Amino acid sequence: MKEELNGFRQQHEMSYRNAILDTIKNNTEVLVNQDIVSLFQKPPLDSMDLLRTKFLNLAKKNKIVLNTEGLGYLLSQYRSYLLDCCDEIKSIRIDTLSKVIKKEGNGVIQINKKDFVTLNKKMKKVIKEKIVEGTQVCIMDHIDMIFNESVDSSIKTHMIDDISKYLKGMYQRQLLENIDIKVLVKDTTLMNSTKEQGERYLFALDHSKLLNENDS
């Protein structure tokens, strides 16, 4: 009877741990595949495309007409380049959090705020490097594609400078800030979900007849 009871308890503990691991995976899938991807991919409407709008506004400011086909191609390449890092950051988050989960004295698994500090720095480093690289290799290295042959060289040089400043400055900062916000929300959601699962685990231990049969 005692061995059978211990078996039930071990099974209960294993199910609890697996549920936590599934929660980490699902939370990360939503963070990356929905939240972060939404910031990288092309918006459904051109009017929502801040990058495209910025380029066109700069062209208007400089009184020139851009090659919109070339612009569309560069932005498409850039976005595809950014999306390439999603699988990597997903793996980093799932692997890291799966290793840091630990049981407290009462047997409850905890994920604490400090567990995200190094992880989020690592993820941000990967994302920032991808943004910097993508800006250069996908846009700046092929920036001539957006200009028509009739554009004056001095105007072209001035606009390229404006584009570079925007992409490497305000745009990059805002993109990383938006990612930070989405990561923070999912981190908080994961901590709360883990806490709730711990409470259910303890409740089952205290109230389940199957887990509390007399083991004498």
Side-chain angles (χ1 to χ4, degrees):
M1 180 65 181
K2 184 174 182 179
E3 289 182 2
E4 187 177 4
L5 179 60
N6 286 337
F8 285 136
R9 287 176 176 170
Q10 288 175 5
Q11 186 177 8
H12 179 59
E13 184 176 339
M14 183 61 68
S15 296
Y16 169 47
R17 181 179 177 80
N18 287 337
I20 295 292
L21 293 174
D22 284 342
T23 300
I24 291 172
K25 181 180 177 183
N26 293 336
N27 176 274
T28 302
E29 292 275 356
V30 173
L31 169 63
V32 178
N33 293 348
Q34 295 182 27
D35 297 345
I36 293 178
V37 163
S38 71
L39 298 174
F40 289 167
Q41 65 186 182
K42 185 181 185 301
L45 300 175
D46 282 344
S47 60
M48 299 167 62
D49 192 339
L50 296 180
L51 270 178
R52 183 177 184 275
T53 300
K54 181 64 178 182
F55 275 71
L56 294 177
N57 286 342
L58 285 173
K60 185 177 181 181
K61 175 183 173 184
N62 286 278
K63 299 179 181 179
I64 63 173
V65 176
L66 292 183
N67 179 338
T68 54
E69 186 176 336
L71 174 60
Y73 176 78
L74 291 191
L75 295 183
S76 176
Q77 292 297 106
Y78 173 66
R79 286 172 168 134
S80 295
Y81 194 86
L82 295 188
L83 289 169
D84 278 345
C85 76
C86 288
D87 285 342
E88 182 180 357
I89 59 177
K90 190 160 49 177
S91 294
I92 289 172
R93 193 170 188 269
I94 292 174
D95 291 346
T96 302
L97 291 176
S98 297
K99 291 173 183 175
V100 302
I101 59 175
K102 51 194 173 296
K103 292 199 299 182
E104 299 296 315
N106 58 2
V108 170
I109 294 173
Q110 294 278 1
I111 297 180
N112 301 308
K113 204 169 185 177
K114 61 183 177 62
D115 295 322
F116 295 100
V117 176
T118 301
L119 164 62
N120 290 344
K121 285 181 180 178
K122 187 175 182 180
M123 287 173 53
K124 189 169 184 176
K125 182 174 182 289
V126 171
I127 295 171
K128 185 174 181 179
E129 287 177 352
K130 201 72 176 178
I131 293 171
V132 171
E133 291 170 2
T135 297
Q136 190 60 46
V137 302
C138 297
I139 297 179
M140 300 312 301
D141 286 352
H142 306 281
I143 197 67
D144 282 348
M145 290 183 64
I146 72 172
F147 296 105
N148 295 310
E149 293 180 1
S150 59
V151 175
D152 182 86
S153 60
S154 61
I155 294 176
K156 183 172 158 182
T157 299
H158 178 69
M159 184 166 166
I160 289 175
D161 186 53
D162 283 346
I163 290 171
S164 180
K165 286 178 181 177
Y166 172 70
L167 291 175
K168 297 174 182 179
M170 182 183 294
Y171 172 72
Q172 184 183 127
R173 286 196 303 272
Q174 290 179 339
L175 181 55
L176 290 172
E177 285 171 3
N178 286 333
I179 291 172
D180 283 343
I181 291 171
K182 291 183 180 297
V183 169
L184 177 61
V185 170
K186 284 299 178 290
D187 288 350
T188 303
T189 300
L190 181 57
M191 285 188 289
N192 290 338
S193 297
T194 303
K195 183 179 178 182
E196 291 171 3
Q197 286 176 308
E199 291 170 351
R200 290 197 294 270
Y201 169 75
L202 289 180
F203 183 86
L205 280 181
D206 292 339
H207 296 86
S208 171
K209 291 183 178 180
L210 184 62
L211 298 172
N212 286 282
E213 291 289 344
N214 191 323
D215 59 354
S216 59

